[in-house]
Amino acid sequence: MKNILRLTTIARAGAVVGFVLVSAASAVNAQQKAPAGSAETRTITAIVHQFYGDSIVPDRSVILTKRYAALLDTTPTPGAIMPRGTRLVIREISRDSAHAVYETESGPEKQFADWYTYLVRDGGKWKIDNVRIYELPPSHFIILDSLDAKKTLSDTLTWLRERMHLSAGTNAELKAHFSAHKAGILKLATDFESRTTLSAIDESGQTAPENALPDADKKALTAELHAVQLGAALRNMSALQCVRYKIGGIEQTTVGYMHFKATCPMPVPGVDDVIYMEKVAPDWYLYRTG
């Protein structure tokens, strides 16, 4: 599990921080329960902004739960280590009477990072209780820069480059990708999910279990993955109606779309491996792990 403690690995000594805040009122999603610009939205946004935007938090107990303050200990907050010119885009993902999830995109650094802040009511006040981050390693961007610099690429490398760009894309870009390729993604889901003995297939045609498909079927499914720039289809055989269609990522840091029907147990963002999920169509969700 990757959390705010990883910040010690990217701290910059003596960093001076400057931010532009995009308010929650301009970014709130239609799925949210709270109205854009509500007093509570402004209160929580101010807490999140202080955590990511201020170089010094004089009294952490005001914005952090006791549990999370102890976990964080002396680790600097993001606002203490982000470089000058960092731009923050803060958006409410979800909120009920006791819990809230906020997204903070940090930029314009070329290496996109997406932070997820989990808040709870603590003594009647909203406080941060956990933070998780979606962040790809520098090697991802080194390879991507190399591919972008080439004048000509094979079809395979062109597909790889586009999928790597998607893996480093914002949630808005990934939602747009789903909308643009919805017909192809739904066809892939129908074809993959109808094969109930198949738990996985990746972009190279490898399946689990091995040799689960005739070569013609394997090639057809692999072509469907490539057509919609997805890297794998994965499911637990004990929950056949719960499928993840992974775009890409590295190790535990992944992004893609989930097809979770009504009978599927939904992951709890920030508790399970999923750090973010948001509906993009009936039974379909954009997700990130990290």
Side-chain angles (χ1 to χ4, degrees), residues 4 7 19 44-57 60 63-64 68 72 75-82 88 90 104 115-117 119 128 130-132:
I4 194 73
L7 286 172
F19 294 94
I44 301 174
T45 300
I47 293 169
V48 174
H49 182 250
Q50 184 178 8
F51 188 67
Y52 293 97
D54 290 0
S55 58
I56 298 174
V57 179
R60 292 188 176 190
I63 65 169
L64 306 181
Y68 191 58
L72 202 58
T75 303
T77 61
I81 66 170
M82 288 187 184
L88 299 180
I90 297 173
T104 303
W115 307 77
Y116 293 91
T117 308
L119 301 99
I128 296 170
N130 199 11
V131 171
R132 303 272 290 275

mmCIF file of all heavy atoms in Angstrom, residues 4 7 19 44-57 60 63-64 68 72 75-82 88 90 104 115-117 119 128 130-132:
data_model
loop_
_atom_site.group_PDB
_atom_site.id
_atom_site.type_symbol
_atom_site.label_atom_id
_atom_site.label_comp_id
_atom_site.label_asym_id
_atom_site.label_seq_id
_atom_site.Cartn_x
_atom_site.Cartn_y
_atom_site.Cartn_z
ATOM 1 N N ILE A 4 1.154 8.518 2.020
ATOM 2 C CA ILE A 4 1.889 9.773 2.078
ATOM 3 C C ILE A 4 3.315 9.600 2.590
ATOM 4 O O ILE A 4 4.176 10.433 2.339
ATOM 5 C CB ILE A 4 1.110 10.772 2.966
ATOM 6 C CG1 ILE A 4 1.632 12.198 2.786
ATOM 7 C CG2 ILE A 4 1.141 10.382 4.415
ATOM 8 C CD1 ILE A 4 1.250 12.793 1.492
ATOM 9 N N LEU A 7 6.449 10.246 0.554
ATOM 10 C CA LEU A 7 6.926 11.586 0.233
ATOM 11 C C LEU A 7 8.375 11.795 0.630
ATOM 12 O O LEU A 7 9.069 12.628 0.057
ATOM 13 C CB LEU A 7 6.055 12.633 0.937
ATOM 14 C CG LEU A 7 4.671 12.830 0.329
ATOM 15 C CD1 LEU A 7 3.840 13.731 1.220
ATOM 16 C CD2 LEU A 7 4.774 13.406 -1.059
ATOM 17 N N PHE A 19 1.245 28.100 -5.514
ATOM 18 C CA PHE A 19 0.149 27.301 -6.044
ATOM 19 C C PHE A 19 -0.918 28.163 -6.691
ATOM 20 O O PHE A 19 -1.137 29.303 -6.303
ATOM 21 C CB PHE A 19 -0.529 26.493 -4.924
ATOM 22 C CG PHE A 19 0.351 25.447 -4.335
ATOM 23 C CD1 PHE A 19 1.101 25.720 -3.213
ATOM 24 C CD2 PHE A 19 0.446 24.189 -4.915
ATOM 25 C CE1 PHE A 19 1.924 24.747 -2.677
ATOM 26 C CE2 PHE A 19 1.260 23.226 -4.379
ATOM 27 C CZ PHE A 19 2.008 23.504 -3.255
ATOM 28 N N ILE A 44 -14.143 21.696 3.380
ATOM 29 C CA ILE A 44 -13.257 20.554 3.130
ATOM 30 C C ILE A 44 -12.176 20.936 2.123
ATOM 31 O O ILE A 44 -11.002 20.556 2.276
ATOM 32 C CB ILE A 44 -14.064 19.341 2.635
ATOM 33 C CG1 ILE A 44 -15.108 18.944 3.677
ATOM 34 C CG2 ILE A 44 -13.133 18.170 2.347
ATOM 35 C CD1 ILE A 44 -16.054 17.849 3.215
ATOM 36 N N THR A 45 -12.533 21.690 1.098
ATOM 37 C CA THR A 45 -11.550 22.117 0.104
ATOM 38 C C THR A 45 -10.437 22.931 0.754
ATOM 39 O O THR A 45 -9.255 22.778 0.417
ATOM 40 C CB THR A 45 -12.224 22.947 -1.003
ATOM 41 O OG1 THR A 45 -13.231 22.157 -1.640
ATOM 42 C CG2 THR A 45 -11.212 23.389 -2.046
ATOM 43 N N ALA A 46 -10.802 23.771 1.715
ATOM 44 C CA ALA A 46 -9.801 24.578 2.416
ATOM 45 C C ALA A 46 -8.837 23.679 3.203
ATOM 46 O O ALA A 46 -7.624 23.944 3.246
ATOM 47 C CB ALA A 46 -10.489 25.566 3.350
ATOM 48 N N ILE A 47 -9.363 22.617 3.821
ATOM 49 C CA ILE A 47 -8.510 21.679 4.552
ATOM 50 C C ILE A 47 -7.540 20.988 3.597
ATOM 51 O O ILE A 47 -6.331 20.899 3.857
ATOM 52 C CB ILE A 47 -9.379 20.643 5.295
ATOM 53 C CG1 ILE A 47 -10.176 21.312 6.414
ATOM 54 C CG2 ILE A 47 -8.518 19.507 5.853
ATOM 55 C CD1 ILE A 47 -11.247 20.425 7.012
ATOM 56 N N VAL A 48 -8.078 20.497 2.480
ATOM 57 C CA VAL A 48 -7.248 19.798 1.499
ATOM 58 C C VAL A 48 -6.197 20.752 0.928
ATOM 59 O O VAL A 48 -5.018 20.398 0.788
ATOM 60 C CB VAL A 48 -8.122 19.200 0.383
ATOM 61 C CG1 VAL A 48 -7.261 18.590 -0.719
ATOM 62 C CG2 VAL A 48 -9.069 18.144 0.958
ATOM 63 N N HIS A 49 -6.610 21.979 0.633
ATOM 64 C CA HIS A 49 -5.666 22.943 0.084
ATOM 65 C C HIS A 49 -4.563 23.264 1.074
ATOM 66 O O HIS A 49 -3.392 23.422 0.694
ATOM 67 C CB HIS A 49 -6.383 24.224 -0.332
ATOM 68 C CG HIS A 49 -5.458 25.224 -0.953
ATOM 69 N ND1 HIS A 49 -5.103 26.391 -0.328
ATOM 70 C CD2 HIS A 49 -4.784 25.210 -2.132
ATOM 71 C CE1 HIS A 49 -4.256 27.058 -1.097
ATOM 72 N NE2 HIS A 49 -4.057 26.363 -2.192
ATOM 73 N N GLN A 50 -4.900 23.374 2.349
ATOM 74 C CA GLN A 50 -3.872 23.644 3.351
ATOM 75 C C GLN A 50 -2.840 22.516 3.382
ATOM 76 O O GLN A 50 -1.632 22.759 3.477
ATOM 77 C CB GLN A 50 -4.501 23.814 4.737
ATOM 78 C CG GLN A 50 -3.477 24.195 5.820
ATOM 79 C CD GLN A 50 -4.105 24.419 7.175
ATOM 80 O OE1 GLN A 50 -5.279 24.154 7.386
ATOM 81 N NE2 GLN A 50 -3.312 24.899 8.122
ATOM 82 N N PHE A 51 -3.319 21.283 3.274
ATOM 83 C CA PHE A 51 -2.421 20.131 3.336
ATOM 84 C C PHE A 51 -1.466 20.096 2.155
ATOM 85 O O PHE A 51 -0.282 19.788 2.298
ATOM 86 C CB PHE A 51 -3.269 18.862 3.385
ATOM 87 C CG PHE A 51 -2.493 17.598 3.640
ATOM 88 C CD1 PHE A 51 -1.874 17.373 4.857
ATOM 89 C CD2 PHE A 51 -2.413 16.614 2.661
ATOM 90 C CE1 PHE A 51 -1.176 16.191 5.096
ATOM 91 C CE2 PHE A 51 -1.718 15.430 2.896
ATOM 92 C CZ PHE A 51 -1.099 15.222 4.115
ATOM 93 N N TYR A 52 -1.980 20.425 0.954
ATOM 94 C CA TYR A 52 -1.157 20.354 -0.257
ATOM 95 C C TYR A 52 -0.547 21.696 -0.649
ATOM 96 O O TYR A 52 0.423 21.719 -1.409
ATOM 97 C CB TYR A 52 -1.994 19.835 -1.432
ATOM 98 C CG TYR A 52 -2.426 18.407 -1.274
ATOM 99 C CD1 TYR A 52 -3.682 18.089 -0.774
ATOM 100 C CD2 TYR A 52 -1.585 17.359 -1.621
ATOM 101 C CE1 TYR A 52 -4.086 16.771 -0.612
ATOM 102 C CE2 TYR A 52 -1.970 16.042 -1.469
ATOM 103 C CZ TYR A 52 -3.228 15.756 -0.960
ATOM 104 O OH TYR A 52 -3.622 14.445 -0.795
ATOM 105 N N GLY A 53 -1.112 22.781 -0.171
ATOM 106 C CA GLY A 53 -0.696 24.082 -0.661
ATOM 107 C C GLY A 53 0.124 24.919 0.283
ATOM 108 O O GLY A 53 0.767 25.875 -0.145
ATOM 109 N N ASP A 54 0.126 24.600 1.578
ATOM 110 C CA ASP A 54 0.869 25.407 2.543
ATOM 111 C C ASP A 54 2.182 24.730 2.888
ATOM 112 O O ASP A 54 2.222 23.530 3.175
ATOM 113 C CB ASP A 54 0.060 25.612 3.824
ATOM 114 C CG ASP A 54 -1.142 26.531 3.616
ATOM 115 O OD1 ASP A 54 -1.331 26.995 2.469
ATOM 116 O OD2 ASP A 54 -1.887 26.763 4.582
ATOM 117 N N SER A 55 3.249 25.506 2.890
ATOM 118 C CA SER A 55 4.559 24.938 3.207
ATOM 119 C C SER A 55 4.684 24.584 4.685
ATOM 120 O O SER A 55 5.501 23.752 5.063
ATOM 121 C CB SER A 55 5.674 25.907 2.802
ATOM 122 O OG SER A 55 5.513 27.159 3.458
ATOM 123 N N ILE A 56 3.874 25.233 5.520
ATOM 124 C CA ILE A 56 3.896 24.952 6.952
ATOM 125 C C ILE A 56 2.462 24.769 7.443
ATOM 126 O O ILE A 56 1.584 25.581 7.133
ATOM 127 C CB ILE A 56 4.571 26.088 7.743
ATOM 128 C CG1 ILE A 56 6.041 26.240 7.314
ATOM 129 C CG2 ILE A 56 4.492 25.824 9.249
ATOM 130 C CD1 ILE A 56 6.739 27.435 7.955
ATOM 131 N N VAL A 57 2.207 23.719 8.193
ATOM 132 C CA VAL A 57 0.928 23.522 8.872
ATOM 133 C C VAL A 57 1.212 23.650 10.366
ATOM 134 O O VAL A 57 1.743 22.722 10.989
ATOM 135 C CB VAL A 57 0.324 22.143 8.550
ATOM 136 C CG1 VAL A 57 -0.996 21.957 9.295
ATOM 137 C CG2 VAL A 57 0.110 21.991 7.043
ATOM 138 N N ARG A 60 -1.044 20.441 13.170
ATOM 139 C CA ARG A 60 -1.577 19.361 12.344
ATOM 140 C C ARG A 60 -2.862 18.772 12.913
ATOM 141 O O ARG A 60 -3.662 18.223 12.172
ATOM 142 C CB ARG A 60 -0.521 18.255 12.181
ATOM 143 C CG ARG A 60 0.685 18.680 11.358
ATOM 144 C CD ARG A 60 1.575 17.485 11.083
ATOM 145 N NE ARG A 60 2.694 17.848 10.222
ATOM 146 C CZ ARG A 60 3.524 16.961 9.665
ATOM 147 N NH1 ARG A 60 3.352 15.667 9.896
ATOM 148 N NH2 ARG A 60 4.514 17.358 8.907
ATOM 149 N N ILE A 63 -6.234 19.617 11.204
ATOM 150 C CA ILE A 63 -6.671 19.071 9.913
ATOM 151 C C ILE A 63 -6.445 17.569 9.784
ATOM 152 O O ILE A 63 -6.922 16.964 8.818
ATOM 153 C CB ILE A 63 -6.004 19.796 8.730
ATOM 154 C CG1 ILE A 63 -4.485 19.570 8.724
ATOM 155 C CG2 ILE A 63 -6.345 21.277 8.739
ATOM 156 C CD1 ILE A 63 -3.817 20.040 7.440
ATOM 157 N N LEU A 64 -5.706 16.946 10.722
ATOM 158 C CA LEU A 64 -5.432 15.519 10.655
ATOM 159 C C LEU A 64 -6.046 14.806 11.853
ATOM 160 O O LEU A 64 -6.047 15.326 12.968
ATOM 161 C CB LEU A 64 -3.923 15.237 10.657
ATOM 162 C CG LEU A 64 -3.051 15.931 9.607
ATOM 163 C CD1 LEU A 64 -1.605 15.482 9.769
ATOM 164 C CD2 LEU A 64 -3.542 15.650 8.203
ATOM 165 N N TYR A 68 -3.948 9.484 11.888
ATOM 166 C CA TYR A 68 -3.129 9.795 10.723
ATOM 167 C C TYR A 68 -1.949 10.688 11.088
ATOM 168 O O TYR A 68 -0.865 10.571 10.512
ATOM 169 C CB TYR A 68 -3.975 10.446 9.634
ATOM 170 C CG TYR A 68 -3.225 10.538 8.325
ATOM 171 C CD1 TYR A 68 -2.725 9.390 7.726
ATOM 172 C CD2 TYR A 68 -2.992 11.762 7.707
ATOM 173 C CE1 TYR A 68 -2.021 9.453 6.547
ATOM 174 C CE2 TYR A 68 -2.288 11.829 6.523
ATOM 175 C CZ TYR A 68 -1.797 10.665 5.945
ATOM 176 O OH TYR A 68 -1.078 10.731 4.785
ATOM 177 N N LEU A 72 1.788 9.779 10.101
ATOM 178 C CA LEU A 72 2.626 10.729 9.364
ATOM 179 C C LEU A 72 3.865 11.110 10.165
ATOM 180 O O LEU A 72 4.955 11.301 9.605
ATOM 181 C CB LEU A 72 1.802 11.978 9.038
ATOM 182 C CG LEU A 72 2.271 12.853 7.886
ATOM 183 C CD1 LEU A 72 2.339 12.068 6.594
ATOM 184 C CD2 LEU A 72 1.346 14.047 7.733
ATOM 185 N N THR A 75 7.032 13.179 8.944
ATOM 186 C CA THR A 75 7.090 13.267 7.482
ATOM 187 C C THR A 75 6.505 14.595 7.020
ATOM 188 O O THR A 75 5.438 14.993 7.477
ATOM 189 C CB THR A 75 6.298 12.117 6.838
ATOM 190 O OG1 THR A 75 6.803 10.878 7.313
ATOM 191 C CG2 THR A 75 6.403 12.162 5.323
ATOM 192 N N PRO A 76 7.173 15.299 6.096
ATOM 193 C CA PRO A 76 6.625 16.577 5.622
ATOM 194 C C PRO A 76 5.297 16.387 4.903
ATOM 195 O O PRO A 76 5.061 15.350 4.279
ATOM 196 C CB PRO A 76 7.691 17.097 4.641
ATOM 197 C CG PRO A 76 8.867 16.215 4.784
ATOM 198 C CD PRO A 76 8.460 14.970 5.463
ATOM 199 N N THR A 77 4.449 17.373 4.981
ATOM 200 C CA THR A 77 3.222 17.352 4.197
ATOM 201 C C THR A 77 3.565 17.665 2.740
ATOM 202 O O THR A 77 4.636 18.206 2.456
ATOM 203 C CB THR A 77 2.216 18.388 4.722
ATOM 204 O OG1 THR A 77 2.807 19.685 4.608
ATOM 205 C CG2 THR A 77 1.836 18.101 6.167
ATOM 206 N N PRO A 78 2.680 17.344 1.791
ATOM 207 C CA PRO A 78 2.988 17.641 0.391
ATOM 208 C C PRO A 78 3.316 19.114 0.150
ATOM 209 O O PRO A 78 4.202 19.431 -0.648
ATOM 210 C CB PRO A 78 1.708 17.224 -0.339
ATOM 211 C CG PRO A 78 1.098 16.184 0.534
ATOM 212 C CD PRO A 78 1.407 16.606 1.933
ATOM 213 N N GLY A 79 2.597 20.015 0.832
ATOM 214 C CA GLY A 79 2.850 21.435 0.632
ATOM 215 C C GLY A 79 4.249 21.865 1.003
ATOM 216 O O GLY A 79 4.742 22.885 0.528
ATOM 217 N N ALA A 80 4.923 21.077 1.854
ATOM 218 C CA ALA A 80 6.277 21.436 2.288
ATOM 219 C C ALA A 80 7.342 21.024 1.286
ATOM 220 O O ALA A 80 8.472 21.508 1.362
ATOM 221 C CB ALA A 80 6.567 20.784 3.636
ATOM 222 N N ILE A 81 7.003 20.154 0.337
ATOM 223 C CA ILE A 81 8.048 19.624 -0.547
ATOM 224 C C ILE A 81 7.782 19.847 -2.033
ATOM 225 O O ILE A 81 8.681 19.664 -2.845
ATOM 226 C CB ILE A 81 8.258 18.121 -0.300
ATOM 227 C CG1 ILE A 81 7.024 17.336 -0.693
ATOM 228 C CG2 ILE A 81 8.647 17.841 1.143
ATOM 229 C CD1 ILE A 81 7.229 15.844 -0.700
ATOM 230 N N MET A 82 6.560 20.241 -2.399
ATOM 231 C CA MET A 82 6.306 20.451 -3.822
ATOM 232 C C MET A 82 7.038 21.692 -4.316
ATOM 233 O O MET A 82 7.175 22.672 -3.582
ATOM 234 C CB MET A 82 4.806 20.568 -4.079
ATOM 235 C CG MET A 82 4.060 19.259 -3.938
ATOM 236 S SD MET A 82 2.334 19.409 -4.463
ATOM 237 C CE MET A 82 1.724 17.779 -4.053
ATOM 238 N N LEU A 88 -2.414 23.132 -8.350
ATOM 239 C CA LEU A 88 -3.298 22.140 -7.747
ATOM 240 C C LEU A 88 -4.698 22.249 -8.326
ATOM 241 O O LEU A 88 -5.249 23.343 -8.419
ATOM 242 C CB LEU A 88 -3.395 22.347 -6.233
ATOM 243 C CG LEU A 88 -2.116 22.229 -5.415
ATOM 244 C CD1 LEU A 88 -2.418 22.466 -3.949
ATOM 245 C CD2 LEU A 88 -1.477 20.861 -5.605
ATOM 246 N N ILE A 90 -8.225 20.689 -7.287
ATOM 247 C CA ILE A 90 -8.884 19.944 -6.214
ATOM 248 C C ILE A 90 -10.334 19.683 -6.605
ATOM 249 O O ILE A 90 -11.042 20.594 -7.024
ATOM 250 C CB ILE A 90 -8.817 20.726 -4.883
ATOM 251 C CG1 ILE A 90 -7.354 20.901 -4.459
ATOM 252 C CG2 ILE A 90 -9.604 20.009 -3.791
ATOM 253 C CD1 ILE A 90 -7.172 21.790 -3.249
ATOM 254 N N THR A 104 -6.687 15.450 -5.773
ATOM 255 C CA THR A 104 -5.831 16.608 -6.026
ATOM 256 C C THR A 104 -4.830 16.245 -7.112
ATOM 257 O O THR A 104 -3.964 15.390 -6.908
ATOM 258 C CB THR A 104 -5.073 17.044 -4.756
ATOM 259 O OG1 THR A 104 -6.007 17.323 -3.716
ATOM 260 C CG2 THR A 104 -4.240 18.298 -5.027
ATOM 261 N N TRP A 115 -3.353 12.639 -6.312
ATOM 262 C CA TRP A 115 -3.453 12.366 -4.886
ATOM 263 C C TRP A 115 -4.913 12.180 -4.496
ATOM 264 O O TRP A 115 -5.787 12.911 -4.958
ATOM 265 C CB TRP A 115 -2.899 13.542 -4.093
ATOM 266 C CG TRP A 115 -1.516 13.985 -4.448
ATOM 267 C CD1 TRP A 115 -1.139 14.730 -5.537
ATOM 268 C CD2 TRP A 115 -0.319 13.735 -3.720
ATOM 269 N NE1 TRP A 115 0.212 14.960 -5.524
ATOM 270 C CE2 TRP A 115 0.739 14.356 -4.414
ATOM 271 C CE3 TRP A 115 -0.048 13.044 -2.529
ATOM 272 C CZ2 TRP A 115 2.054 14.309 -3.965
ATOM 273 C CZ3 TRP A 115 1.263 13.004 -2.090
ATOM 274 C CH2 TRP A 115 2.298 13.633 -2.807
ATOM 275 N N TYR A 116 -5.159 11.215 -3.600
ATOM 276 C CA TYR A 116 -6.512 10.978 -3.102
ATOM 277 C C TYR A 116 -6.509 11.125 -1.581
ATOM 278 O O TYR A 116 -5.739 10.458 -0.880
ATOM 279 C CB TYR A 116 -7.014 9.598 -3.545
ATOM 280 C CG TYR A 116 -7.185 9.572 -5.043
ATOM 281 C CD1 TYR A 116 -6.147 9.167 -5.868
ATOM 282 C CD2 TYR A 116 -8.355 10.050 -5.637
ATOM 283 C CE1 TYR A 116 -6.269 9.214 -7.253
ATOM 284 C CE2 TYR A 116 -8.489 10.094 -7.013
ATOM 285 C CZ TYR A 116 -7.445 9.681 -7.811
ATOM 286 O OH TYR A 116 -7.575 9.740 -9.175
ATOM 287 N N THR A 117 -7.358 12.013 -1.109
ATOM 288 C CA THR A 117 -7.418 12.357 0.306
ATOM 289 C C THR A 117 -8.731 11.847 0.875
ATOM 290 O O THR A 117 -9.803 12.147 0.332
ATOM 291 C CB THR A 117 -7.317 13.883 0.497
ATOM 292 O OG1 THR A 117 -6.161 14.365 -0.197
ATOM 293 C CG2 THR A 117 -7.220 14.250 1.965
ATOM 294 N N LEU A 119 -11.209 11.821 4.039
ATOM 295 C CA LEU A 119 -11.528 12.594 5.234
ATOM 296 C C LEU A 119 -12.675 11.942 5.997
ATOM 297 O O LEU A 119 -13.541 11.283 5.407
ATOM 298 C CB LEU A 119 -11.911 14.026 4.868
ATOM 299 C CG LEU A 119 -10.856 14.839 4.099
ATOM 300 C CD1 LEU A 119 -11.162 14.854 2.617
ATOM 301 C CD2 LEU A 119 -10.751 16.261 4.640
ATOM 302 N N ILE A 128 -8.415 14.938 7.807
ATOM 303 C CA ILE A 128 -7.792 13.971 6.901
ATOM 304 C C ILE A 128 -7.386 12.735 7.684
ATOM 305 O O ILE A 128 -6.696 12.829 8.708
ATOM 306 C CB ILE A 128 -6.565 14.598 6.215
ATOM 307 C CG1 ILE A 128 -6.991 15.781 5.322
ATOM 308 C CG2 ILE A 128 -5.805 13.560 5.389
ATOM 309 C CD1 ILE A 128 -5.830 16.609 4.807
ATOM 310 N N ASN A 130 -6.390 9.698 5.780
ATOM 311 C CA ASN A 130 -5.476 8.899 4.958
ATOM 312 C C ASN A 130 -5.248 9.614 3.639
ATOM 313 O O ASN A 130 -6.083 10.427 3.202
ATOM 314 C CB ASN A 130 -6.026 7.495 4.688
ATOM 315 C CG ASN A 130 -4.941 6.519 4.257
ATOM 316 O OD1 ASN A 130 -3.751 6.811 4.343
ATOM 317 N ND2 ASN A 130 -5.342 5.351 3.791
ATOM 318 N N VAL A 131 -4.125 9.313 3.005
ATOM 319 C CA VAL A 131 -3.798 9.844 1.678
ATOM 320 C C VAL A 131 -3.125 8.739 0.880
ATOM 321 O O VAL A 131 -2.275 8.012 1.396
ATOM 322 C CB VAL A 131 -2.849 11.063 1.776
ATOM 323 C CG1 VAL A 131 -2.347 11.467 0.391
ATOM 324 C CG2 VAL A 131 -3.548 12.238 2.445
ATOM 325 N N ARG A 132 -3.552 8.576 -0.361
ATOM 326 C CA ARG A 132 -2.908 7.623 -1.274
ATOM 327 C C ARG A 132 -2.578 8.379 -2.564
ATOM 328 O O ARG A 132 -3.242 9.369 -2.906
ATOM 329 C CB ARG A 132 -3.838 6.445 -1.574
ATOM 330 C CG ARG A 132 -4.305 5.680 -0.333
ATOM 331 C CD ARG A 132 -3.378 4.567 0.072
ATOM 332 N NE ARG A 132 -3.414 3.465 -0.874
ATOM 333 C CZ ARG A 132 -4.326 2.474 -0.832
ATOM 334 N NH1 ARG A 132 -5.263 2.474 0.101
ATOM 335 N NH2 ARG A 132 -4.292 1.490 -1.709
#
